[in-house]
Amino acid sequence: MKQTRVLIAGAGIAGLTAAHELAERGYLVTVVEALAVPGGKSRSIPVEGSAVAGQQELPGEHGFRFFPGFYRHIPDTMARIPCVLADGSYGSVADNLAHTSRTLALSKKGRWEVPNQLRSSSRDAASLLSFLYDLFVGSGVDVPREDMLHYVRCVFTMLTSSDERRFGEFENISAWDYFQAPSRSEAYQKYVINAVTRTLVACRAADMSARSNVVVGIQLLSDIYRSCADRVLNGPTSEVWITPWVTHLQHLGVEFIQGVSVENVLWDGESVRALQLSDGTELTADHFILALPLEALQAISNDDMLARAPSLARLDELKTEWMNGILFYLGQDIELNHGHTIFLDAPWALTSLCQQRFWPRGLAQYGDGTVRGILSVCISDFDAPGDYIRKPAKDCTPAEIQEEVWQQILAHLAPADRAELEAAGVIACSIDPSLRWTEQGMQNDAPLFVNTAGSWAARPEVDIGIINLFVAGDFVRTTTDVATMESANESARHVVNRILDLTASSAARCQLFPLEEPVALTPLKVIDRLRFEAGLPHLLDLVPVFSGETIAWLGGMTSRVAEYSVKAGDIVRQLGWDQRLPEFESKAMRFINNLSRGVAPVSKWASTKPDSKSGTAEAQTNTSGVNTLINDVVGSINDKALADDLDKLRARLISALDQTDKHFREYGASHQRHLIDGVLADSLFQSGKRLRASCALLCSMLMRRFLSEEAVQVAIITESIHAATLLHDDIIDEADQRRGHPTAWKKYGVGAGVLAGNLLVSRAVRSLYRIGYNGLADDLFEVIESMIAAESDQLSGRRNLEACEQDYLRIIDGKTAGLFAWSCRAGATVGGCNAATVTATANFGRHMGLAFQLIDDIIDLAPDTNDTGKTRYTDLSTGLLTYPLLLARQRDPQGFDVLAANGFADATEVSAWLVANEALEDTRAEAARQIAMGVEALLPVRHSAAKATLIELARASSRRLR
């Protein structure tokens, strides 16, 4: 079959990401790059003429690299790029990310430090806001208390605003106006609004969209609690990232054409035929991706192209600013800060990084060997006059820029730090070569897109409406939003997924990671959406005074969601919305109540005993079972931190499983209109052990410490599919009982059982599409088809005395193991795990599913099996040769023939025969082997409470008697 060819214009982060994702999926990829080397703005730029006697040239750059914790697309890609590490071992580029300790902010009045990772893992919104308040008040910056309270109020307003209000209102006003800077103090304007905005991106607060400013800012703040707010590379960018990446892509078959640019797009009707290059070459392909910088895309977007792609018509409205670097190569190592430093009073909005502190290879191999330190500085304001030369950077010579930046830095340092920096001495200096001096003045070949107010409407989607042409880059609409390497990477993943859809590829879709915000605020966003649609202001606009006590109240609200749910309900009724919000009362408030159980004190769960007077027997069984399981794990682990995490996990897991059961109970109770609904009410009420749901929930927590609503939905979906298979299996097996109850087909008839199962499958898949995981839905279709094929093979193979072990294992792989594997993979996917972890969980689930079915074979045939509420010897009565029977047949073919001639009518005799031939014991051994293989599949996954529980859950399933 002919391979699809894709031509990518641009070898920046977007282009390289698209090439990577496509090449991994078997596409033929060619990348065209105007520069002589790949990497775009992220590449290293060696200082020409700086090498001596075979040394490497000094490493220059467009600006220092910065990988905040909310970056998840970039690290996921890095984890799939093999490389040799600094110590000579083999690893991935992700291993070259180094964590910083703190961010240092300096003013001419004083200094304050922000730890880049706190020991606590609070996701409480009020804790974040209080921390933000404390940073500026009483830290020497002297921002008035009332101004900081106003700032916190504005941040919380944005956090609790619906997307409809964010895009419909706050996107269209500047951060300067949103935070009401004109009516506030000079310190507030300078340090809180201007400085934070300029160091976040190269944009003025007066221009930047308020939505982008706050949404991305809160991500950086949240990183302090959830991971690490600041990571850097442990060497020059090209050495430790770009070069290994390109080498890996070449090994995957990607072709690079460098030193030529795209001049024109050539058409064949409404689709693209070829790209015309600057050397006159025309390159054809099946699909084309323009992963170009904004200014380059603007240059080739002629009238012909805009007529075909109206979504590009507003590209000229998008604005760029300058953010370029200057490096000082020092004769001595300095210890200014273990992380980035912000110079709050610098008119040129300077930030810096002492790079050598993170480079294990050192600097001796660069230049003439005398460089011992590198101070990398970014200039974010080229229009403000300097303090010393008193000219804007755009009007300065290279020597003047060097002197002005140096003096602005020294002016912020304490005497000891200043003396250390001056004593280090500047051996050489390098300014980003993207800055050029011409007769017309300074030119910038690499400007940066900035999110100005209202710019979202002018930004294109990756799919521009041309069937085989797409755009990717940091200016394209993404959830990451601001112009970063992360947004460029995300945009490329969207493009690749679109191409996979268009070519009907069966390959897995690229993983996408949405931005995370405190989940406890979701109900307030629901309220705000309704208010915005009704033309009403935000709820906080009704609060006349926002004080420290207000923040304290927010803390209590977000840490005790049950109490908050009552307050939210009171607000709804006091404002007269209860007449308009029946859906909110039935869904959103139920969500709040469910969420409250997940944040209740752990001691409550630990001390709770089953109450025979309340709840259902099924729910109590689940609770005690999960408690027992995690108690066993806690008791076997010496790591106190892990044991504490497991204790907390108990509450979350129980809450989610109970929410799953509650969904089914409420569904069964509220849908009693048709015969099918009666089937569902009976079958769904029989909750069982929810083993597949537990696997999905635990896998979703392998990389995070909370359960998302999407994870709970996946648990419900996987249990729905499982319930559907049980309905169908009972009909096929003619089983009379299921968990101590009459089976649905016996009570309602075969037709109702079949239709109810089909309805469950339909609703489950539709739910996946509704929550936005189309790739998982496509995978689930494949799993269902495999289940049907396996069931069909099993049905046609009944009483086939020639069946072999391989036939049987193939059938149970499709019938049982596939859904286990999907449950784990789906949980890991919605939990934001990287591709390697997702694959590991799928392998784990498949082995666990095989073991589960093998144990099921034993349960059906073993003479000492306890009452399980299930019809025994079903496999025998229907003529199914299961694994124990196949093993015993190999060992005693004559005995098998005798039993088969009698149609296996005497089940007790068959059980005794299996015991005598050790078939049941060896089946247990094979199940244990499958469990061990599953546990081994999880070895690459980082150690966590969820992983420990997942492993114990697998081992416990081998001891299962149900």
Side-chain angles (χ1 to χ4, degrees), residues 568-600:
D570 289 343
I571 292 173
V572 168
R573 285 179 284 275
Q574 287 171 10
L575 297 179
W577 298 344
D578 49 319
Q579 302 302 316
R580 293 186 58 238
L581 304 179
E583 183 180 359
F584 176 81
E585 290 289 342
S586 63
K587 293 183 178 179
M589 296 302 289
R590 186 164 68 240
F591 167 74
I592 298 171
N593 291 330
N594 285 334
L595 186 61
S596 69
R597 287 193 294 274
V599 298

Side-chain angles (χ1 to χ4, degrees), residues 10-253:
I13 300 303
L16 294 177
T17 301
H20 192 160
E21 300 292 348
L22 288 165
E24 281 189 338
R25 292 161 174 80
Y27 289 76
L28 296 176
V29 181
T30 300
V31 179
V32 178
E33 171 55 46
L35 299 172
V37 293
K41 296 184 184 73
S42 299
R43 75 192 189 283
S44 298
I45 309 173
V47 181
E48 291 186 13
S50 62
V52 175
Q55 294 273 104
Q56 297 180 53
E57 293 178 316
L58 291 170
E61 60 194 3
H62 170 75
F64 53 66
R65 304 275 67 80
F66 170 48
F67 301 85
F70 76 87
Y71 279 20
R72 296 164 68 197
H73 297 94
I74 286 285
D76 175 73
T77 297
M78 287 177 159
R80 291 182 279 131
I81 305 171
C83 70
V84 178
L85 304 178
D87 61 3
S89 64
Y90 290 94
S92 73
V93 167
D95 297 317
N96 288 328
L97 286 174
H99 287 250
T100 65
S101 300
R102 63 183 185 268
T103 297
L104 177 63
L106 299 177
S107 75
K108 293 177 181 179
K109 296 180 179 180
R111 57 186 282 152
W112 48 270
E113 298 178 359
V114 182
N116 287 339
Q117 188 170 18
L118 297 179
R119 291 184 179 179
S120 65
S121 58
S122 172
R123 291 181 177 274
D124 183 275
S127 297
L128 298 178
L129 296 174
S130 295
F131 178 70
L132 182 62
Y133 172 87
D134 292 338
L135 285 180
F136 289 93
V137 176
S139 61
V141 182
D142 295 332
V143 176
R145 179 177 181 273
E146 58 272 19
D147 285 353
M148 272 314 300
L149 285 172
H150 173 73
Y151 182 75
V152 168
R153 175 183 186 145
C154 290
V155 171
F156 191 72
T157 298
M158 186 72 74
L159 274 175
T160 54
S161 293
S162 61
D163 284 342
E164 288 78 7
R165 188 181 300 278
R166 288 182 182 182
F167 284 94
E169 182 178 338
F170 300 142
E171 164 64 20
N172 300 311
I173 62 176
S174 70
W176 185 259
D177 292 332
Y178 175 74
F179 289 114
Q180 298 179 4
S183 62
R184 299 284 164 178
S185 67
E186 182 180 355
Y188 174 80
Q189 295 173 352
K190 184 175 184 178
Y191 297 126
V192 181
I193 307 304
N194 274 332
V196 171
T197 302
R198 293 298 273 178
T199 52
L200 177 65
V201 288
C203 189
R204 296 176 178 86
D207 297 327
M208 188 177 189
S209 155
R211 178 189 63 82
S212 298
N213 182 291
V214 180
V215 169
V216 176
I218 205 66
Q219 291 297 315
L220 294 172
L221 181 63
S222 299
D223 283 343
I224 298 171
Y225 284 88
R226 64 188 172 201
S227 53
C228 179
D230 187 2
R231 295 165 293 181
V232 298
L233 288 170
N234 65 359
T237 307
S238 290
E239 288 185 30
V240 300
W241 180 18
I242 303 300
T243 299
W245 197 1
V246 171
T247 300
H248 179 58
L249 295 182
Q250 289 172 330
H251 287 163
L252 292 175

Side-chain angles (χ1 to χ4, degrees), residues 668-745:
S670 61
H671 290 70
Q672 294 291 329
R673 299 185 304 275
H674 305 294
L675 179 62
I676 297 175
D677 296 323
V679 179
L680 294 179
D682 275 6
S683 61
L684 295 176
F685 186 80
Q686 301 171 22
S687 61
K689 294 187 180 299
R690 303 291 188 218
L691 186 59
R692 296 158 189 80
S694 297
C695 287
L697 294 167
L698 288 166
C699 287
S700 77
M701 297 180 70
L702 289 172
M703 292 295 180
R704 54 175 61 162
R705 293 187 175 188
F706 68 96
L707 278 168
S708 66
E709 180 65 15
E710 290 84 357
V712 176
Q713 286 300 312
V714 165
I716 292 171
I717 289 165
T718 193
E719 283 299 316
S720 297
I721 297 296
H722 176 53
T725 64
L726 295 183
L727 285 168
H728 292 164
D729 282 353
D730 287 342
I731 294 171
I732 294 171
D733 296 340
E734 300 179 2
D736 295 331
Q737 282 193 332
R738 169 71 63 181
R739 299 191 180 101
H741 298 272
T743 51
W745 77 274

Side-chain angles (χ1 to χ4, degrees), residues 679-874:
V679 179
L680 294 179
D682 275 6
S683 61
L684 295 176
F685 186 80
Q686 301 171 22
S687 61
K689 294 187 180 299
R690 303 291 188 218
L691 186 59
R692 296 158 189 80
S694 297
C695 287
L697 294 167
L698 288 166
C699 287
S700 77
M701 297 180 70
L702 289 172
M703 292 295 180
R704 54 175 61 162
R705 293 187 175 188
F706 68 96
L707 278 168
S708 66
E709 180 65 15
E710 290 84 357
V712 176
Q713 286 300 312
V714 165
I716 292 171
I717 289 165
T718 193
E719 283 299 316
S720 297
I721 297 296
H722 176 53
T725 64
L726 295 183
L727 285 168
H728 292 164
D729 282 353
D730 287 342
I731 294 171
I732 294 171
D733 296 340
E734 300 179 2
D736 295 331
Q737 282 193 332
R738 169 71 63 181
R739 299 191 180 101
H741 298 272
T743 51
W745 77 274
K746 291 289 290 184
K747 186 174 181 179
Y748 297 96
V750 171
V754 171
L755 292 174
N758 293 347
L759 185 61
L760 277 176
V761 172
S762 172
R763 285 176 174 159
V765 176
R766 186 174 61 182
S767 294
L768 273 175
Y769 283 114
R770 186 181 298 118
I771 65 176
Y773 286 92
N774 296 7
L776 285 178
D778 294 340
D779 290 344
L780 184 57
F781 275 126
E782 293 186 11
V783 170
I784 293 170
E785 289 175 5
S786 296
M787 293 170 72
I788 294 171
E791 192 69 58
S792 175
D793 289 345
Q794 187 178 73
L795 187 62
S796 63
R798 285 184 173 177
R799 308 194 187 282
N800 175 15
L801 301 185
E802 302 302 319
C804 64
E805 293 174 45
Q806 289 73 22
D807 293 333
Y808 178 71
L809 290 174
R810 174 179 51 80
I811 287 173
I812 68 171
D813 181 71
K815 179 182 175 183
T816 304
L819 183 57
F820 269 95
W822 182 89
S823 301
C824 294
R825 181 170 66 247
T829 298
V830 301
C833 296
N834 58 37
T837 300
V838 171
T839 300
T841 59
N843 291 335
F844 165 82
R846 189 166 298 280
H847 287 298
M848 187 172 177
L850 291 171
F852 184 91
Q853 187 60 57
L854 290 167
I855 297 298
D856 217 32
D857 294 347
I858 298 172
I859 290 171
D860 189 65
L861 296 170
D864 56 349
T865 302
N866 296 328
D867 184 14
T868 63
K870 174 184 175 183
T871 304
R872 297 266 323 271
Y873 305 119
T874 301

